[in-house]
Amino acid sequence: MSTPPAPSWQNCAHGAHPLIDPVGCRGIRVLSHSSCLAHLADTDRNTYLAGLAPGADIDHRGTPFTEDLLNQLLTALHDPTTGAPQIGDANFGGAQFTGAASFSRAQFTGYAGFLGAHFFSDAWFEDAQFNGTASFAEAQFARYAAFSGAQFTGAASFQKATFTVEAGFNAARFTGDAWFRETQFNGYARFARAQFTGATGFSQAQFASDAGFHGALITDAWFSGAQFSGFAGFSGVQFSGDAGFDEALFTGDPRFDGAKFSGDVRFNGAQFAAASELGPLVCAGVVVLSAAVFEVPVTLEIAAREVHCVRTRWESTATVRLRHATADLSHAVLSAPVAVTDHPSLFTTYSGTVDESLLSGPGGVRIASVQGVDAALLVLTDTDLTDCLFSGAFHLDQLRLEGRCTFAPVPSGWHRRGIRLGRWTRRRTLAEEHHWRAQTAGQPTPPPGHLASRRTWHPGPHHPDPAHTPDPEDVAALYRQLRKAFEDGKNEPGAADFYYGECEMRRHDRIGTPAGERWLLWGYWLLSGYGLRASRALVGLGIAMLTTILVLMLWGLPQHTPVQEATGVIPAGGGRTTFTIAKDDPQNPTGQRITRITGERFDKALTVTLNSVVFRSSGEDLTDTGAYIEMGSRFFEPALLALAVLAVRGRIKR
């Protein structure tokens, strides 16, 4: 069997054997002696200990300590003023503590080195003070390790340390950086009410049992790659900086209820194997759940400025309750129904209402994107879809929109169209239409940090690049699918605006829509707003009727009412008489046109026009021109009336 190499210091070599153990005892020699503290003669040891004073520097690397020997050393360093051992630089690297090691209330004014030390029994560092750097890297704690109430003023390193039974850091204070990279916690890890003022790293740490950080205060904490095999408790933890759980593995049930993050918190690529809930937590920055995996039914309750769920995978059902947040669901993978909803009131935990003082403004939820999502399994409730990107989503016609979901309105106020002034028809629109219209109108890109005016179309993220802006054909397909989603939900009035948007995009589509169809859509839009604007159809009907009346008065009604005459022959001898009734043809009016506009002629023209609207013949005598005018009005005006009725029905149908 191979033996460990000799240490870098001059070691005691007690018990060395050329074949079995050529190195022997690895304890560093004490001063001018050839033995370590454990193997010194009693008189030499007593002399050495008697020469120590509180605050002295000690170096006992590799030394094997029994409980009695350690107590003798700490007694020699006892400070009568504080009633506890006071040590300057202390180096116990590679030391072995076979009995209980009690450093409780000890004060390390300099470097405290326990690099690679082995604690075979309990290790007590409760209320100890480490004023310099403290290194427990690669240390092994076979039984209970107690650091509760300890204060680490300098950097503290527990990298690759192993806690076999239990690690207690309750109420410990880490003023400097604290590193637990690749640390193994095989038993319960207690960090309740601990304070981490500096950077804190638990990257790739392994928590084989429960881990409790309840009520801890942490500045910047990194748990990247950490493995939590048991309960992971972060309830009530306050992170005053950023926190990272990237690629962490939560085999047990993590608890973040009441946790607060003043910066960002990242769960990028994290795996939640048994998490039934996450939160409620409050984050002043961004909660990143991108590429995270949720394997069981889960409820997420998050109040944050932004929530990123890009490529997040839900293997089972999920309910995502949000407040204040803008959520990005791009390319999320849904294997079961997932509901994203705006939570109307403050979140609550077992201890009461969750404080959201880190956030300000309204608590509404905005959806930034559902691109690449299978919308058949997605439910959005009471969300703001003003800037939501739908392009690239699958099965949009099966998307469920419940509650009050808002979409982007058209620009408000008057605007110029060439030489004409006009207003946009009020309706709900998609962000993609805004982006296309802003790009085709040549609108400038708003300066960074400035929102687009409500009087203009909102430019897209790739404005003004036409290659990355959806064209009318693409936007029409989005409107068509969402219209069907509203119709399937028995919400005909809600679908009306999307039908309007679909027709608008088809009217402007010069590639996928034939020219004849575009002209037909232009007329349909002009006369009735695609059968959805009753006011436009009624105005058109009124104009058509006035035009008909005027034209009938000018050219349609005859100059005079035709006179009927009866002619016949009466034989002298009497008998049967036959009369022939002749009626003059209506004569076209003559004279100046102004003389044709009279009350009598107006009454007749109005009668003809009103009967035409209801598709009836007035029975009035008309000129040839008037007959054709009446036929045209009997076709055109009832159609406008039908469009008005259709528009009203579309707005009230359920």
Side-chain angles (χ1 to χ4, degrees):
M1 296 179 60
S2 61
T3 58
S8 59
W9 56 83
Q10 288 186 332
N11 62 304
C12 171
H14 179 79
H17 189 282
L19 297 178
I20 300 176
D21 184 5
V23 177
C25 177
R26 287 162 176 76
I28 191 171
R29 297 177 182 179
V30 176
L31 299 178
S32 59
H33 301 281
S34 60
S35 300
C36 66
L37 183 61
H39 297 110
L40 277 178
D42 293 342
T43 55
D44 294 334
R45 184 186 305 116
N46 294 335
T47 301
Y48 167 74
L49 295 176
L52 296 178
D57 298 334
I58 56 176
D59 185 357
H60 295 289
R61 287 172 286 177
T63 302
F65 280 93
T66 62
E67 182 176 355
D68 180 65
L69 179 61
L70 178 61
N71 290 337
Q72 292 182 45
L73 176 62
L74 297 179
T75 300
L77 298 169
H78 185 82
D79 185 355
T81 304
T82 61
Q86 184 174 350
I87 311 171
D89 290 337
N91 198 336
F92 291 92
Q96 300 179 17
F97 300 88
T98 56
S102 178
F103 289 89
S104 297
R105 301 180 59 230
Q107 298 181 10
F108 296 86
T109 59
Y111 170 74
F114 292 85
L115 177 65
H118 286 222
F119 296 87
F120 293 95
S121 186
D122 295 339
W124 300 91
F125 289 87
E126 292 183 322
D127 297 319
Q129 297 184 17
F130 299 87
N131 297 327
T133 300
S135 177
F136 290 86
E138 301 182 16
Q140 297 186 24
F141 299 87
R143 297 185 64 180
Y144 181 59
F147 289 86
S148 299
Q151 298 185 26
F152 297 85
T153 305
S157 175
F158 290 85
Q159 297 186 99
K160 297 184 179 181
T162 301
F163 295 88
T164 304
V165 178
E166 183 175 336
F169 288 87
N170 293 340
R173 297 180 61 183
F174 296 85
T175 306
D177 298 339
W179 302 108
F180 291 84
R181 180 180 175 83
E182 298 184 46
T183 303
Q184 295 187 17
F185 297 90
N186 297 326
Y188 191 7
R190 302 176 182 269
F191 289 87
R193 302 183 309 283
Q195 298 184 25
F196 297 85
T197 306
T200 305
F202 284 85
S203 300
Q204 300 182 27
Q206 297 185 20
F207 296 85
S209 185
D210 297 341
F213 289 81
H214 309 286
L217 300 176
I218 307 177
T219 301
D220 293 323
W222 302 103
F223 293 83
S224 302
Q227 298 183 21
F228 298 88
S229 299
F231 173 80
F234 291 89
S235 301
V237 177
Q238 298 186 30
F239 297 84
S240 57
D242 296 336
F245 294 85
D246 295 341
E247 299 183 2
L249 174 61
F250 296 90
T251 305
D253 193 8
R255 298 298 300 272
F256 285 86
D257 46 296
K260 297 181 181 179
F261 300 86
S262 299
D264 299 337
V265 54
R266 300 175 58 88
F267 292 93
N268 195 20
Q271 297 186 37
F272 299 87
S276 59
E277 60 182 6
L278 182 64
L281 60 86
V282 179
C283 178
V286 182
V287 177
V288 181
L289 292 166
S290 298
V293 179
F294 295 89
E295 299 181 8
V296 298
V298 63
T299 299
L300 285 75
E301 295 184 334
I302 301 173
R305 182 169 54 86
E306 295 181 21
V307 177
H308 294 177
C309 296
V310 180
R311 293 185 174 84
T312 302
R313 189 166 78 243
W314 280 282
E315 299 289 353
S316 187
T317 58
T319 300
V320 184
R321 301 187 182 119
L322 303 176
R323 286 181 55 78
H324 301 278
T326 297
D328 187 352
L329 304 175
S330 300
H331 307 286
V333 180
L334 314 183
S335 301
V338 174
V340 180
T341 180
D342 175 15
H343 198 270
S345 58
L346 295 174
F347 293 123
T348 58
T349 65
Y350 64 91
S351 59
T353 303
V354 176
D355 180 19
E356 295 183 0
S357 58
L358 294 175
L359 299 167
S360 60
V365 174
R366 297 158 296 281
I367 305 298
S369 173
V370 294
Q371 292 179 310
V373 177
D374 187 351
L377 299 172
L378 182 61
V379 181
L380 302 178
T381 304
D382 295 333
T383 54
D384 185 349
L385 303 174
T386 299
D387 298 311
C388 182
L389 299 178
F390 291 94
S391 56
F394 305 99
H395 302 130
L396 268 180
D397 57 326
Q398 300 178 44
L399 174 66
R400 291 180 57 186
L401 299 175
E402 299 182 352
R404 299 188 62 179
C405 292
T406 59
F407 290 84
V410 297
S412 60
W414 293 91
H415 63 279
R416 184 178 297 278
R417 302 181 188 178
I419 61 174
R420 297 179 294 111
L421 287 178
R423 295 173 65 94
W424 295 103
T425 302
R426 293 180 58 186
R427 60 186 174 92
R428 295 182 295 177
T429 61
L430 297 183
E432 283 84 355
E433 181 179 352
H434 271 261
H435 301 167
W436 174 78
R437 290 189 181 273
Q439 189 265 326
T440 54
Q443 291 182 197
T445 303
H450 290 73
L451 298 177
S453 171
R454 297 180 59 184
R455 301 177 62 88
T456 61
W457 299 98
H458 296 175
H462 303 287
H463 184 80
D465 184 5
H468 293 87
T469 302
D471 56 31
E473 184 176 12
D474 297 329
V475 181
L478 297 177
Y479 274 120
R480 186 179 305 113
Q481 294 182 74
L482 288 172
R483 171 175 62 85
K484 185 177 183 300
F486 275 93
E487 291 174 345
D488 291 345
K490 306 302 180 182
N491 187 357
E492 293 287 345
D497 283 347
F498 293 91
Y499 176 70
Y500 193 105
E502 176 189 351
C503 292
E504 275 286 282
M505 293 297 97
R506 290 172 56 200
R507 180 166 67 92
H508 290 284
D509 180 17
R510 297 180 178 273
I511 299 177
T513 305
E517 187 176 339
R518 291 202 311 274
W519 282 108
L520 183 62
L521 287 169
W522 271 95
Y524 196 23
W525 165 78
L526 181 63
L527 294 176
S528 65
Y530 308 112
L532 296 173
R533 299 295 182 263
S535 59
R536 191 176 300 183
L538 292 174
V539 169
L541 177 61
I543 294 175
M545 293 176 64
L546 291 176
T547 303
T548 301
I549 292 172
L550 180 62
V551 173
L552 285 174
M553 293 173 64
L554 294 176
W555 297 289
L557 297 176
Q559 180 73 24
H560 301 288
T561 302
V563 178
Q564 294 183 350
E565 297 180 353
T567 60
V569 178
I570 301 176
R576 186 174 181 178
T577 303
T578 301
F579 293 93
T580 301
I581 305 299
K583 182 178 181 180
D584 295 339
D585 292 334
Q587 301 296 317
N588 290 326
T590 58
Q592 295 184 357
R593 296 175 180 174
I594 190 65
T595 61
R596 308 174 193 174
I597 303 177
T598 63
E600 180 182 359
R601 292 175 65 83
F602 175 81
D603 182 64
K604 292 183 178 181
L606 179 62
T607 301
V608 174
T609 303
L610 291 177
N611 280 277
S612 298
V613 172
V614 294
F615 213 72
R616 292 179 55 190
S617 175
S618 63
E620 293 285 345
D621 294 316
L622 301 174
T623 64
D624 293 341
T625 302
Y628 287 111
I629 294 173
E630 184 184 32
M631 286 188 291
S633 63
R634 289 178 66 183
F635 170 79
F636 189 68
E637 291 169 2
L640 289 174
L641 180 61
L643 289 174
V645 174
L646 179 65
V648 173
R649 180 176 180 273
R651 286 298 181 182
I652 63 176
K653 181 182 177 183
R654 288 291 178 182

